[in-house]
Amino acid sequence: MALNTAANRTVDLTLRALQLILAIITMGTDGHAIHVFHGHTVHEHFEFGDFYNYYGVPDAWGFLMFCAAWTVLGVIFLLIAGIRFADHVLLGYVRVGVEAVALLSWLAGFVAVAVNIGSNACPAEENGCGTLKAATVFGALEWLLFVVTTTMTVKLVFGRARHPRR
């Protein structure tokens, strides 16, 4: 059974709502992990002098926050473009592009944060990394939702027959 977003708006709106909800949850859990994280300074001694290096929040955690913010904006665009301008061919390609960028950024985001779990940034024995683990799980679920919606959007845009304009 092929799932078509034009034929079943309820499924599309439900998936978009789930994407928004998971993006907000990911923002909250990742934001809490960033807030709770305590950076540390490391004193390194070299033959030509001493060096103090500050280790702050890993970049991957901020990238996951960017993915969540990008999703909120992207889903709003995809909802408006899907409802008001569904017949425009060029906008269909833009929709596929937005879906593909969101899909790839979520894949990169949750994998990059998952790599930090158990490392120096988030040691396995530290209890404060639970919110980061939750953010990673919600990021993976968000990626799965984008796999479904990207597939549906690609089938919708590239599956329709081309009619010449008169």
Side-chain angles (χ1 to χ4, degrees):
M1 176 175 95
L3 191 59
N4 190 351
T5 56
N8 198 346
R9 296 295 305 160
T10 307
V11 172
D12 186 44
L13 291 175
T14 303
L15 289 173
R16 299 295 177 197
L18 283 173
Q19 286 174 338
L20 281 175
I21 290 168
L22 286 178
I24 291 169
I25 291 171
T26 304
M27 268 192 229
T29 54
D30 189 38
H32 184 264
I34 289 171
H35 175 73
V36 176
F37 181 79
H38 298 291
H40 57 280
T41 304
V42 175
H43 174 76
E44 297 180 15
H45 179 71
F46 296 105
E47 59 191 43
F48 47 85
D50 292 339
F51 179 68
Y52 289 97
N53 194 9
Y54 178 75
Y55 291 100
V57 175
D59 294 333
W61 301 8
F63 182 70
L64 193 66
M65 184 68 75
F66 165 77
C67 291
W70 159 253
T71 297
V72 171
L73 296 175
V75 168
I76 290 171
F77 166 75
L78 290 168
L79 281 173
I80 292 171
I83 293 172
R84 299 234 24 219
F85 307 105
D87 295 334
H88 289 68
V89 176
L90 181 62
L91 204 55
Y93 294 134
V94 173
R95 287 174 60 196
V96 169
V98 169
E99 289 270 4
V101 167
L103 172 77
L104 293 175
S105 65
W106 275 107
L107 176 64
F110 92 83
V111 168
V113 173
V115 167
N116 282 322
I117 296 174
S119 67
N120 289 338
C122 185
E125 63 272 355
E126 186 174 319
N127 292 334
C129 291
T131 56
L132 189 64
K133 292 175 186 175
T136 305
V137 169
F138 286 121
L141 291 174
E142 188 81 51
W143 174 72
L144 286 174
L145 281 175
F146 269 105
V147 167
V148 172
T149 59
T150 303
T151 305
M152 290 178 3
T153 303
V154 166
K155 284 182 181 180
L156 177 68
V157 171
F158 294 117
R160 69 173 85 152
R162 301 286 178 232
H163 299 291
R165 296 193 92 150
R166 296 181 185 178

